[in-house]
Amino acid sequence: MAAITTRDESDYDSSCSSITVPDSSRSWMSNLSFSSRRRSSVSVCSSATEASLFSSAHKPHKANQAAWEAMKRLRSTKGRVGLDHFRLLRRLGSGDIGNVYLCQIRNPVVGLPQCFYAMKVVDREALAIRKKLHRAEMEKEILDMLDHPFLPTLYAEFDASHYSCLVMEFCPGGDLYAARQRLPGKCFSISSARFYAAETLLALEYLHMMGIVYRDLKPENVLVREDGHIMLSDFDLSLKCDVVPKLLRRKMYLESNQKNAKSSSMPYCVAAPMQPVLSCFSASNKKKKGTVTTITEQVGADNNHDHNADHHHQELDPEMVAEPIEARSKSFVGTHEYLAPEVISGQGHGSAVDWWTFGVFLYEMLYGRTPFKGENNEKTLINILKQPLRFPRVGVSSSKEFEEMVKVQDLISKLLVKNPKKRIGSLKGSVEIKRHDFFKGVNWALIRSVRPPHVPAANSDLHNKIRNRAYLPKLSKKERDEPFQIPHHVDYF
Ligand SMILES: Nc1ncnc2c1ncn2[C@@H]1O[C@H](COP(=O)(O)OP(=O)(O)OP(=O)(O)O)[C@@H](O)[C@H]1O
């Protein structure tokens, strides 16, 4: 599935450019997790220029990890981290803006196991010609901010000649698209889909609270770590905005709403006198009795697909919303089958696009295809705008499975609401989705301790496979010496 972008400088200025579709298809990762159709490589012989200063020295989640410790020691002993410190072993994949290589530190750090890393190599000169340099820069900036169990850790970043290199965690389990293809029926079970969706939701929640709208959720971008837990990858289409936490004050909202009668259906928001926090759990779960109508009921009053009506029981205390629900961009970015209606119509979009793509993602995991796919890209876009959501008939083996299917279809219907203002998550962010019945029983805080549906080969097996060349085709000397190839692109419109 090709990613599309327009308005290349889009989120930063208002210039427009044509839509390009990279010559990449989702199929190149389907069977062998890490085989690429493209033949492009970077010269490993180029000597590293001054390594850039590494800004993200503080990654509490990685504090005890060998890969992180090894990188810290390398930096402290050598004074810098550069391309000459790494051995590139295999190409893991290629994308629109670069190649990703499996690599190791050349001289193992004494006392630490030899770790694998993924290095994304971007040709800055080639990207500048294609006016896509800002995408690589945005990705670097975003990766540098992240410290979350389901998001990549940027271990190091440096320039080598005109290449920019990002050293990240390596995910040996491939991506969820490839994983789905390997399953009988090419669909995940409901419980597996719930697991992957729950972890993805937590990753999106964190991104939103960091002021990042991801915009490119699809199974290809959800990688599987060594322990079977997920890692969201590929941030070059993301939108970064300032996030100001808001307190939703129901009482004030209601008073203001009474005065303004029908003038607005939006909640009254006040800036909270606090710093952004990395939790969107509501301030209180206490249920208060009273005759006041809640915000959710007010919003639901003019909502055909009223997801909020399910939340009549919700608390009346102020709730903090730390996600950028009001962020707006007009860029045409994403992947055709995953584009939200508001992105296609160009009316401006915000974090609700991630809830739309989350709905498409859930649908695809369960039914093996996306909901609005047409004969070609143009028809797909028309379907997204016009076609009502339908679910294929699937056989269920028990009443429990039937109930689960009803719940997940209900959630998908609330995510795939064409009007972003009426979409679940558009009012209070991820917390609305976490409360849905489909996720009932998910222990959000301890999900990292849950055994994932599939755990890839242990690291030692991986070492053996790589040593025995059974894992991936090795880079030839010619490939290593070849300059980076610009992926072939075609104009779409
Ligand atoms: N940390 C990782 N571990 C393992 N494989 C990875 C990792 N990061 C990326 N890859 C592989 O490399 C491929 C290309 O990476 P990525 O999607 O980040 O590149 P891109 O140029 O940004 O792509 P896109 O065209 O989707 O924007 C991915 O499809 C994935 O298979």
Side-chain angles (χ1 to χ4, degrees):
M1 202 184 296
I4 51 176
T5 57
T6 50
R7 301 189 54 194
D8 278 329
E9 314 308 325
S10 50
D11 295 327
Y12 318 101
D13 67 34
S14 57
S15 61
C16 256
S17 65
S18 64
I19 301 172
T20 58
V21 182
D23 179 29
S24 67
S25 114
R26 53 192 307 164
S27 60
W28 60 273
M29 281 285 291
S30 54
N31 293 328
L32 267 179
S33 307
F34 295 121
S35 65
S36 168
R37 288 193 311 157
R38 287 208 202 95
R39 309 297 302 172
S40 50
S41 62
V42 63
S43 164
V44 289
C45 303
S46 58
S47 61
T49 58
E50 267 310 290
S52 58
L53 280 177
F54 189 63
S55 56
S56 46
H58 191 60
K59 301 272 180 189
H61 279 102
K62 304 295 159 193
N64 301 317
Q65 206 201 39
W68 179 242
E69 186 55 36
M71 200 63 70
K72 276 203 309 195
R73 288 213 214 152
L74 179 67
R75 190 171 298 111
S76 65
T77 51
K78 308 280 180 196
R80 68 179 182 91
V81 178
L83 188 57
D84 50 337
H85 297 133
F86 292 91
R87 204 150 46 92
L88 303 198
L89 303 166
R90 303 281 187 274
R91 188 172 52 237
L92 295 167
S94 316
D96 188 26
I97 69 162
N99 285 333
V100 179
Y101 297 87
L102 177 68
C103 63
Q104 285 181 321
I105 295 177
R106 246 175 219 288
N107 302 310
V109 181
V110 181
L112 287 175
Q114 182 63 306
C115 301
F116 291 112
Y117 300 89
M119 185 191 290
K120 185 160 181 173
V121 180
V122 165
D123 182 338
R124 284 197 319 277
E125 280 178 6
L127 277 190
I129 293 167
R130 291 163 53 206
K131 296 195 173 25
K132 289 188 173 180
L133 193 54
H134 70 276
R135 281 176 52 185
E137 280 162 1
M138 179 51 61
E139 179 161 50
K140 184 161 77 176
E141 200 179 311
I142 289 174
L143 284 172
D144 202 23
M145 292 163 66
L146 307 180
D147 181 34
H148 188 275
F150 305 139
L151 292 167
T153 297
L154 182 62
Y155 290 114
E157 52 106 348
F158 47 84
D159 291 344
S161 175
H162 55 284
Y163 297 106
S164 272
C165 306
L166 303 175
V167 183
M168 299 172 281
E169 266 174 287
F170 164 58
C171 290
D175 64 68
L176 286 190
Y177 181 79
R180 183 174 71 70
Q181 297 294 324
R182 289 192 294 265
L183 293 170
K186 298 190 187 323
C187 299
F188 287 104
S189 66
I190 298 185
S191 62
S192 297
R194 184 180 9 248
F195 173 86
Y196 291 126
E199 294 204 334
T200 303
L201 181 56
L202 289 179
L204 290 174
E205 176 184 73
Y206 172 91
L207 288 174
H208 285 188
M209 283 189 282
M210 298 293 279
I212 298 159
V213 184
Y214 180 49
R215 301 203 290 194
D216 201 17
L217 178 61
K218 53 184 173 182
E220 293 91 323
N221 283 343
V222 182
L223 305 183
V224 179
R225 287 204 155 94
E226 191 186 351
D227 62 4
H229 291 272
I230 66 124
M231 183 183 104
L232 219 55
S233 72
D234 203 358
F235 294 86
D236 57 294
L237 295 186
S238 299
L239 165 74
K240 204 165 139 279
C241 44
D242 293 329
V243 55
V244 182
K246 303 274 170 80
L247 274 188
L248 282 181
R249 292 230 171 122
R250 286 155 203 271
K251 224 174 156 187
M252 290 171 76
Y253 161 70
L254 289 170
E255 282 163 8
S256 123
N257 214 31
Q258 275 157 8
K259 274 185 213 149
N260 291 322
K262 290 177 190 161
S263 64
S264 165
S265 64
M266 287 301 288
Y268 182 89
C269 295
V270 290
M274 58 182 89
Q275 294 299 310
V277 295
L278 300 183
S279 164
C280 79
F281 293 103
S282 57
S284 163
N285 278 324
K286 274 180 280 166
K287 186 179 168 184
K288 284 185 186 168
K289 282 188 184 157
T291 52
V292 227
T293 319
T294 63
I295 294 169
T296 52
E297 285 164 343
Q298 289 285 327
V299 172
D302 64 339
N303 188 349
N304 296 337
H305 237 311
D306 180 14
H307 66 266
N308 291 312
D310 291 349
H311 301 303
H312 284 235
H313 62 281
Q314 283 171 14
E315 60 285 327
L316 297 174
D317 285 351
E319 279 193 281
M320 202 188 76
V321 178
E323 299 177 48
I325 51 176
E326 285 156 34
R328 282 287 168 267
S329 161
K330 289 200 169 176
S331 317
F332 190 67
V333 296
T335 300
H336 282 100
E337 290 167 51
Y338 273 78
L339 285 178
E342 64 270 29
V343 176
I344 299 170
S345 60
Q347 67 193 48
H349 62 263
S351 56
V353 292
D354 283 342
W355 305 135
W356 174 275
T357 55
F358 187 65
V360 181
F361 172 68
L362 250 178
Y363 190 110
E364 182 175 349
M365 280 198 291
L366 289 166
Y367 301 112
R369 65 174 179 83
T370 53
F372 302 108
K373 187 170 168 48
E375 290 158 33
N376 53 41
N377 287 335
E378 218 167 319
K379 294 220 168 98
T380 301
L381 300 188
I382 292 166
N383 290 346
I384 293 169
L385 291 174
K386 302 260 161 76
Q387 200 181 70
L389 174 67
R390 290 190 202 99
F391 294 99
R393 279 178 174 273
V394 285
V396 287
S397 55
S398 64
S399 58
K400 188 166 180 297
E401 197 185 339
F402 176 76
E403 277 170 31
E404 290 298 307
M405 196 52 99
V406 170
K407 284 180 196 166
V408 72
Q409 288 189 353
D410 182 70
L411 175 58
I412 292 172
S413 310
K414 286 166 179 163
L415 289 162
L416 295 183
V417 170
K418 297 193 197 286
N419 180 346
K421 288 186 187 142
K422 296 180 177 181
R423 197 172 297 152
I424 189 168
S426 59
L427 188 65
K428 288 187 280 182
S430 57
V431 70
E432 291 178 62
I433 302 166
K434 287 161 103 180
R435 281 177 185 152
H436 189 277
D437 256 6
F438 177 59
F439 289 120
K440 200 171 175 183
V442 171
N443 189 335
W444 296 100
L446 296 182
I447 198 159
R448 280 171 75 190
S449 315
V450 171
R451 189 176 161 77
H454 174 73
V455 180
N459 213 356
S460 53
D461 292 351
L462 192 66
H463 276 276
N464 288 337
K465 278 188 182 167
I466 286 170
R467 210 172 296 126
N468 299 332
R469 302 177 178 206
Y471 187 56
L472 293 160
K474 201 178 174 187
L475 294 180
S476 67
K477 178 162 182 341
K478 184 168 172 284
E479 273 186 312
R480 284 202 304 268
D481 295 343
E482 242 168 28
F484 180 82
Q485 301 292 316
I486 305 170
H488 175 67
H489 279 71
V490 291
D491 283 335
Y492 178 58
F493 286 139

